[in-house]
């Protein structure tokens, strides 16, 4: 009986037939070629230096656009305000295009903020009123702490306070200015001795979904604006005797939409301060479809189809124990085939996806960000995870080939189970609920390995498969694919003889 090493070497030799190696090379080539085309297509030249998208303290893309009335604050101090009003406007999409109505989107924000300067992406902690989520304390873009519910009016004002003690920022709220309740505490490592403190206002775009296909939806974002009215401003710990300064953090008052709205800014009159702004402070990369990695992996589907065909054909040349057709397929032989096809596919995927992601990170877009806006750790996870998914899909197809014994039938089942759900859910064709169901219960769940779009409760976005958001976390999606692969391979192994002698016994009897 052959040793395990000898068996693996023999199956590897059998896999190295020119047709199979050429097919695997073609799979890698199509993934790389279409990926590079997508990455280069996202690249645009700029007149002069390209503007850069802001990144937060952890290096991730963020949104940081608001109007800021501010002063210097030392290492210890506080700001206390009374807020008496919060209003806004929304521009609605077609058929009411250009119709501007009063209103606030749910995550419109106005309040007080302590920030490491006015540079976009710098560390901050803010206490605010929101459009419909009450009082919130948010800091460093990803973190959100809920305070009390409700809105604000002249009859029911809200009092807000932020205190600084070194790197520790604490937020408080009060309805009467006497009894204060802590909302939350943020530890902002590395704050300088002098920071900026003041009042701010911002309002993210209004997200509207438009129906397409068989129940799918695409997103449209329209301009919104928010403003807060403050009085009784008390600042302790100011390090300069100068007055308040005004700045727009990020571009403001320059777009066509803003021509029809009140100009963003800050107005001080009779002890009252009104701050108006647009934009958002929070995680970035969730708007505009939010699928930087998926856009560059458009070649994954044709590459996957090639891999499935190769894996099935590798399993089906000699499924019956007929000596005239070669060595009988036993459990050990099928296990060796599975190892070989999985290993070759993993290396092929690692090479192809790795090139796409590396080039996507290196190529800047017109906004100055990379074509794939992910951190190094996330990029490694996407590359290794996607290669593992391709390898598991190949082993699953191999198991189907061994079970069904007919190449065309096994290929059809593999494509319907793996490739079709992945393709139809990646475009806004099906209803979001159906797409999410398919990516939970089919082997295509494994493609959650590409997941880079994180769902944040404080950010309204189209969190759907067609927008790059998988319903399962990456590890859970891979676990689903692993379960399918293990079950089918185990079933295929159980139907095969354990040894060559057992496989040849029916022939001897005949």
């Amino acid at each position: 009986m052959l040793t395990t090493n000898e068996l693996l070497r023999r199956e590897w030799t059998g896999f190295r037939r020119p047709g199979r190696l050429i097919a695997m090379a073609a799979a890698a080539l199509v993934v790389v070629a279409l990926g590079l085309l997508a990455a280069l297509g996202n690249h645009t030249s700029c007149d002069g230096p390209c503007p850069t998208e802001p990144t937060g303290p952890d290096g991730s893309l963020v949104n940081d656009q608001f109007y800021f009335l501010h002063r210097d604050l030392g290492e210890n101090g506080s700001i206390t305000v009374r807020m008496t009003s919060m209003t806004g406007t929304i521009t609605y999409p077609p058929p009411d295009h250009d119709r501007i109505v009063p209103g606030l989107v749910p995550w419109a924000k106005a309040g007080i903020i302590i920030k490491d300067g006015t540079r976009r992406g710098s560390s901050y902690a803010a206490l605010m009123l929101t459009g419909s989520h009450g009082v919130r304390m948010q800091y460093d873009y990803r973190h959100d702490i809920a305070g009390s519910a409700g809105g604000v009016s002249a009859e029911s004002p809200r009092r807000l306070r932020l205190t600084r003690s070194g790197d520790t920022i604490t937020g408080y709220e009060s309805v009467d200015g006497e009894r204060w309740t802590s909302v939350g505490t943020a530890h902002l490592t590395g704050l300088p001795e002098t920071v900026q403190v003041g009042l701010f206002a911002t309002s993210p775009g209004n997200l509207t979904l438009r129906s397409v296909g068989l129940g799918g939806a695409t997103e449209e974002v329209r301009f919104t604006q928010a403003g807060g009215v403050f009085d009784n401003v008390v600042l302790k710990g100011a390090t300069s005797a100068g007055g308040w300064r005004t700045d727009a953090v990020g571009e403001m008052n320059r777009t066509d939409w803003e021509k029809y709205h009140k100009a963003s800014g800050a107005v001080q009159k009779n002890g009252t301060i009104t701050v108006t702004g647009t934009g958002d402070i929070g995680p970035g990369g969730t708007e505009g479809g939010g699928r930087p990695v998926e856009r560059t992996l458009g070649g994954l589907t044709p590459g996957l189809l090639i891999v499935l065909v190769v894996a099935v054909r590798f399993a089906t040349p000699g499924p019956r124990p007929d000596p005239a057709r070669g060595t009988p397929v036993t459990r050990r032989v099928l296990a060796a085939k599975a190892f070989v096809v999985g290993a070759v596919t993993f290396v092929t995927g690692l090479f192809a996806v790795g090139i796409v992601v590396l080039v996507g990170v290196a190529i800047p877009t017109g906004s100055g960000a990379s074509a794939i806006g992910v951190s190094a750790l996330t990029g490694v996870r996407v590359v290794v995870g996607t290669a593992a998914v391709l390898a598991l899909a190949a082993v699953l197809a191999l198991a189907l080939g061994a079970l069904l014994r007919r190449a065309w039938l096994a290929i059809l089942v593999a494509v319907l189970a793996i490739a079709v759900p992945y393709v139809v859910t990646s475009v806004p064709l099906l209803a979001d609920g159906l797409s999410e169901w398919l990516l939970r219960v089919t082997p295509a769940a494994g493609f959650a390995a590409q997941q880079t779009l994180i769902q944040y409760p404080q950010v309204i976005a189209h969190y759907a498969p067609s927008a790059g958001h998988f319903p399962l976390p990456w590890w859970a999606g891979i676990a689903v694919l692993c379960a399918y692969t293990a079950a089918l391979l185990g079933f295929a192994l159980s139907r095969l003889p354990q040894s060559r002698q057992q496989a040849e016994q029916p022939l001897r009897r005949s």
Side-chain angles (χ1 to χ4, degrees), residues 7-32:
L7 185 57
L8 289 174
R9 190 178 301 112
R10 190 189 68 185
E11 292 303 325
W12 164 239
T13 301
F15 187 85
R16 286 190 307 171
R17 288 176 52 187
R20 295 194 184 108
L21 289 181
I22 291 173
M24 296 301 288
L29 182 62
V30 73
V31 172
V32 172

Side-chain angles (χ1 to χ4, degrees), residues 302-440:
L304 171 66
L305 294 176
I306 296 172
V307 166
L308 296 179
V309 171
V310 170
V312 169
R313 296 297 298 176
F314 189 48
T316 54
R320 300 181 186 278
D322 184 354
R325 300 180 61 185
T327 304
V329 176
T330 63
R331 295 178 188 176
R332 292 182 70 236
V333 170
L334 183 62
K337 286 179 179 291
F339 180 86
V340 169
V341 77
V344 172
T345 305
F346 178 78
V347 172
T348 302
L350 206 64
F351 170 78
V353 179
I355 289 178
V356 170
V357 172
L358 283 174
V359 173
V361 170
I363 296 177
T365 64
S367 61
S370 67
I372 298 180
V374 295
S375 66
L377 184 61
T378 299
V380 170
R381 188 260 296 165
V382 168
V383 172
V384 176
T386 304
V389 168
L390 290 173
L392 288 167
V395 174
L396 189 152
L398 180 98
L400 285 172
L403 283 169
L404 300 177
R405 306 292 181 90
R406 291 177 176 83
W408 69 267
L409 181 59
I411 291 170
L412 178 63
V413 173
V415 169
L416 290 176
I418 306 171
V420 170
Y422 173 58
V423 172
V424 299
T425 58
S426 64
V427 294
L429 177 66
L430 304 177
D432 291 347
L434 177 58
S435 295
E436 291 176 354
W437 179 81
L438 286 173
L439 291 178
R440 284 192 177 100

